[in-house]
Amino acid sequence: MRNLMVTGGAGFIGSNFVRYMLEKYPGYYIVVYDKLTYAGRLENLQDVAERFAGRYAFVRGDICDAAKVRETIRAYNVDTVINFAAESHVDRSIMNPDAFIKTDVYGTYVLLEAAREFGLERMHQVSTDETYGEVQTGRSKETDPVAPRSPYAASKASADLMVNAYHVTYGLPVTITRGTNNIGPYQYPEKVVPLFVTNAIDDLPLPLYGDGLQVRDYQYVLDHCEAIDIVLHKGEIGGIYNVGTGTEMRNIDMARLILRLLGKPESLIQLVRDRPGHDRRYALDVGKIRALGWEPAHTCEEAIEKTVRWYVENEWWWRPIKSGEHYREYYRRQYEGREIK
Ligand code: NAD
Ligand code: TYD
């Protein structure tokens, strides 16, 4: 493993992963392959391009474009693909699932075909706890069946099934990680934590869905990146690994913690009409990845604290996004008239 192609590397987790890997492995070369959708931003990799100029390249491309994927693998002598490229926001998948099927399902298939054709050493798929569907009690294990309930989760579960099929059918060396909600630097402010933090900084309402009693496991993005690194180097071929803190937090408590950290009043919490098909709870059993020697370095609370600090200190990054027409239009469509009085 030397020449990595990181698809979706200009997005939130991908850009953190690229920085983490280049810092950790001086012998690695990384080519980021990214379509630069609304969520993919070169600013996320600005420092990487400067610090690692000789070991980093960027190619703008769509993972659905088989010819360009092949051309990039050939040009950079790629031996490993790590696939972060996806449409990643549940609410957008409810508004318009089309791009989710194209990128998350078909795009993953294109990468699998290329990995097979070039005999790559590894194709790693970055997946999500949402593939298990909502879990009322207990914790999802890797051996549990997938039972996705949103178009996003269904597209990610479909990709996982195809990744596994390529392993079983063609012997392709694959691995899959299923992470819980990541938070940290460079997360697009449509996801709940950066949305709430940036709204709170501006004294705007925090739109909390339904009763706010839904449960998520908010993990720090670099803990997740480290887990992917460990699976790449120590994971069993064909294996699936859950990644998360293994603890949980209610959305209302996450919102209150953010407000407390920023010294803002709880009256900023605005209950809004719930998301259709909203999964009440995700919870992972993380024993399998822990057995590889991985431990999360942050609790949910510590992850939120670090994330709040980053957004406070990096307005240069998020202000232009939030004031842009794309974001404002999305926000209107998503939240206007949704308040529960
Ligand atoms: P993101 O939306 O921030 O970034 C996605 C990136 O993929 C962007 O850079 C975008 O430009 C790129 N992209 C989209 N369509 C593409 C295409 N057709 N071809 C090439 N590039 C394309 O997402 P993220 O939060 O960083 O998530 C990364 C991966 O991790 C996704 O696969 C997601 O399903 C998974 N995941 C995310 C979380 C989370 O909490 N954010 C948790 C578990 C798993
Ligand atoms: P999100 O960040 O969209 O991640 P996911 O749905 O993939 O877990 O949402 C996290 C939780 O926060 C989820 O339970 C939905 C809730 N949420 C809100 O209450 N208000 C919001 O404006 C958003 C975007 C999410």
Side-chain angles (χ1 to χ4, degrees), residues 12 24 34 36 45-46 99 102 109 122 140 191 214 234 273 290 314-315 338:
F12 161 49
K24 180 157 175 193
D34 198 297
L36 298 182
L45 290 163
Q46 201 170 287
K102 287 190 178 117
Y109 152 75
R122 184 73 63 87
S140 306
K191 305 286 178 1
Q214 306 82 10
K234 296 209 259 173
R273 201 171 58 247
R290 278 179 176 265
N314 289 279
E315 295 198 5
R338 196 166 168 169

Side-chain angles (χ1 to χ4, degrees), residues 14 27 89 103 108 112 141 171 177 194 229 261 278 292 311:
H89 192 40
T103 290
T108 303
L112 289 166
K141 275 186 171 318
T177 43
D229 172 23
L261 289 166
H278 193 169
L292 289 185
Y311 282 84

Side-chain angles (χ1 to χ4, degrees), residues 88-91 130 152 181 187 190-193 195-196 207-209 214-216 218 251 254 272 275 278-279 282 330 335:
S88 66
H89 192 40
V90 173
D91 290 318
E130 305 194 21
Y152 164 67
N181 294 55
Q187 184 169 34
E190 66 190 351
K191 305 286 178 1
V192 74
V193 169
L195 173 70
F196 282 10
L208 188 65
Y209 293 166
Q214 306 82 10
V215 166
R216 295 292 187 268
Y218 295 98
N251 287 336
M254 171 268 295
V272 300
R275 169 191 283 172
H278 193 169
D279 287 337
Y282 303 126
Y330 167 78
Y335 296 104

Side-chain angles (χ1 to χ4, degrees), residues 16 43 79 82 167 169 174 176 191 200 260 291 302 308 325:
N16 278 285
E43 303 94 277
D79 51 48
I82 301 129
H167 172 63
T169 309
V174 305
I176 296 174
K191 305 286 178 1
R260 186 161 60 72
E302 288 164 348
V308 167
E325 195 39 49

Side-chain angles (χ1 to χ4, degrees), residues 11-13 34-35 37 40 62-63 84 88 103 127 152 156 182:
F12 161 49
I13 310 176
D34 198 297
K35 185 178 174 181
T37 65
D62 188 331
I63 59 168
F84 291 89
S88 66
T103 290
S127 184
Y152 164 67
K156 293 297 289 184
N182 281 225

